[in-house]
Amino acid sequence: MKGWIDIGRLDDILPLGARVVRARLGDIAIFRTADDKVFALADRCPHKGGPLSQGIVHGERVTCPLHNWVIDLETGNAVAPDAGCAHRHEVRVAHGVLFLEVETLACSV
C-alpha cells in the first residue's frame, strides 16, 4: 500500500490493548478494541501528557492512567466534561497486518 508503513500484525496487540510506535516527532499509540477495531492517537493525553498507551481501553475509548480523562479513540477528543484532543493518525488493517499512514508520521505530534 503506497503511502503506508507496515507496523506489525494485529495479533501483536491483545484485544483491549495497545502498543507504541516510535516516530520521529513523537510516540503513537495503536489501540485494539474487543471487536478488533484499530485506532491510532498521539501517545499523550491532552490533559497533562500521560501515556494513553498505558490506559484502560473500554469500548472505543481509553482512560488515561494519570488522571482518568476519557479519550474517544475515533476522534481523539476528550469526553465531556473534559476538553482537549489527542492527535489522531490514520491506521488500517489488511490481511492481519497493521499499516500507519506515512504522511501522518512526518507531520504529527
Side-chain angles (χ1 to χ4, degrees), residues 9 11 13 33 46-47 71 73-74 81 83 96 98 108:
R9 300 198 49 77
D11 291 339
I13 305 172
T33 66
H47 177 227
I71 308 298
L73 294 172
E74 176 70 35
L98 297 166
S108 65

Side-chain angles (χ1 to χ4, degrees), residues 20-55:
V20 175
V21 172
R22 304 275 181 219
R24 187 172 51 90
L25 297 176
D27 292 345
I28 299 170
I30 311 297
F31 299 95
R32 179 179 178 184
T33 66
D35 58 353
D36 294 331
K37 290 182 182 175
V38 179
F39 301 93
L41 298 175
D43 193 23
R44 291 181 48 84
C45 179
H47 177 227
K48 296 223 177 186
L52 293 176
S53 61
Q54 295 177 26

Side-chain angles (χ1 to χ4, degrees), residues 71-85:
I71 308 298
D72 183 279
L73 294 172
E74 176 70 35
T75 64
N77 291 327
V79 175
D82 299 317
C85 185

Side-chain angles (χ1 to χ4, degrees), residues 4-13 19-23 28-31 38-41 89-93 96-102 104-105:
W4 297 80
I5 186 169
D6 177 338
I7 57 168
R9 300 198 49 77
L10 177 63
D11 291 339
D12 293 341
I13 305 172
R19 69 174 283 224
V20 175
V21 172
R22 304 275 181 219
I28 299 170
I30 311 297
F31 299 95
V38 179
F39 301 93
L41 298 175
H89 297 273
E90 292 296 325
V91 64
R92 291 185 181 168
V93 181
V97 178
L98 297 166
F99 293 91
L100 194 60
E101 188 175 27
V102 173
T104 64
L105 293 176

